[in-house]
């Protein structure tokens, strides 16, 4: 099984597990051991899945403004957790391939492996929810046909992105490419760098 096959299997598992209750307040029950890449992949997709539904809820045109504010702050925290998980997954790759000596002509990729994995997790969610749309019996035939065409594109995207990630990892392992991990250094959550926060201490 390739790395992305493992990713896609775990992502689908996390999405299915979430939808057993389909409740943003459901407590995660991660089936994988702590400090494993599988644990982090499951956690990453669970965070993405909950946030997907938070983003749906906050777009309710009738939502109470105070509830919307609380949701926005929850989404901000979720984004920070998501970023932290991506960095942990990149640390796994750094540890795995830290002893590889890059070739003299090795090139740097536009993104680290984990940020590509982040996109793969979001694609899993898009595929799940687009498939739901194709199966809505109360929706029009035109709607279902449009969503079926979109689902085909998403499935092709997942195939291509999975291949690209596996090739990137192979190139890093062979020294053909090298990776750097830049911490995201988000400023809006940091009371030392967000002027609204540090001016109101």
């Amino acid at each position: 099984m390739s790395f992305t096959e493992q990713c896609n299997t775990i992502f689908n598992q996390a999405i299915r597990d979430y939808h057993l209750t389909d409740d943003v307040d459901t407590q995660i029950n991660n089936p994988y051991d702590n400090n494993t890449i599988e644990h982090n992949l499951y956690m990453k997709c669970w965070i993405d899945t909950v946030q997907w539904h938070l983003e749906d809820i906050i777009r309710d045109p009738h939502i109470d403004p105070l509830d919307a504010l609380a949701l926005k702050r929850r989404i901000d925290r979720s984004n920070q957790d998501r970023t932290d998980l991506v960095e942990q997954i990149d640390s796994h790759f750094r540890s795995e391939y830290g002893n590889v000596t890059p070739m003299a002509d090795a090139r740097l990729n536009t993104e680290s492996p984990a940020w590509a994995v982040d996109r793969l997790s979001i694609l899993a969610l898009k595929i799940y929810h687009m498939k739901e749309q194709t199966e809505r019996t109360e929706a029009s035939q035109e709607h279902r046909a449009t969503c079926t065409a979109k689902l085909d594109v998403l499935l092709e995207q997942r195939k291509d992105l999975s291949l690209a990630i596996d090739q990137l990892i192979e190139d890093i392992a062979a020294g053909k490419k090298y990776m750097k991990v830049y911490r995201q250094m988000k400023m809006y959550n940091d009371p030392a760098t967000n002027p609204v926060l540090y001016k109101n201490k």
Side-chain angles (χ1 to χ4, degrees), residues 8-197:
N8 290 323
T9 298
I10 292 172
F11 294 160
N12 289 337
Q13 178 184 7
I15 293 167
R16 285 194 307 271
D17 289 350
Y18 170 86
H19 284 94
L20 293 175
T21 60
D22 202 4
D23 181 345
V24 294
D25 295 317
T26 299
Q27 292 297 308
I28 185 172
N29 182 21
N30 195 321
Y32 297 100
D33 292 336
N34 287 329
N35 303 316
T36 63
I37 186 63
E38 293 84 5
H39 184 278
N40 286 345
L41 291 170
Y42 187 97
M43 178 72 76
K44 171 71 179 64
C45 193
W46 183 275
I47 290 171
D48 292 339
T49 306
V50 172
Q51 186 167 328
W52 177 285
H53 292 278
L54 292 175
E55 296 281 8
D56 280 347
I57 294 167
I58 204 170
R59 284 165 175 78
D60 180 350
H62 305 295
I63 193 171
D64 181 278
L66 290 178
D67 291 339
L69 177 60
L71 275 176
K72 176 64 174 74
R73 289 181 171 165
R74 183 172 174 180
I75 289 168
D76 282 348
R77 291 193 300 272
S78 177
N79 269 323
Q80 188 65 60
D81 291 341
R82 169 178 160 262
T83 299
D84 292 345
L85 250 297
V86 171
E87 291 176 356
Q88 287 182 42
I89 293 168
D90 262 337
S91 294
H92 162 81
F93 290 112
R94 288 277 303 245
S95 174
E96 186 82 9
Y97 303 112
N99 293 326
V100 175
T101 302
M103 297 178 178
D105 59 350
R107 296 185 177 187
L108 183 64
N109 203 53
T110 57
E111 63 185 350
S112 68
W115 279 111
V117 168
D118 173 71
R119 291 195 288 129
L120 195 62
S121 173
I122 303 302
L123 260 179
L125 280 162
K126 289 181 179 180
I127 288 167
Y128 180 93
H129 290 98
M130 193 63 72
K131 187 172 186 295
E132 276 190 331
Q133 293 300 309
T134 69
E135 298 168 349
R136 280 179 56 199
T137 55
E138 81 283 6
S140 69
Q141 184 175 351
E142 180 183 9
H143 174 83
R144 293 196 301 271
T146 298
C147 291
T148 297
K150 290 180 178 180
L151 178 60
D152 289 341
V153 173
L154 290 170
L155 290 168
E156 184 176 0
Q157 281 184 305
R158 181 167 65 181
K159 180 180 176 182
D160 291 345
L161 180 57
S162 296
L163 177 61
I165 292 170
D166 286 334
Q167 288 176 341
L168 172 60
I169 293 170
E170 288 172 6
D171 285 347
I172 291 171
K176 296 177 181 178
K177 287 191 175 179
Y178 64 97
M179 63 177 288
K180 287 185 176 180
V181 177
Y182 292 101
R183 303 303 173 190
Q184 291 303 299
M185 294 178 263
K186 288 185 179 292
M187 299 177 72
Y188 59 78
N189 284 335
D190 189 341
T193 56
N194 181 333
V196 173
L197 297 178

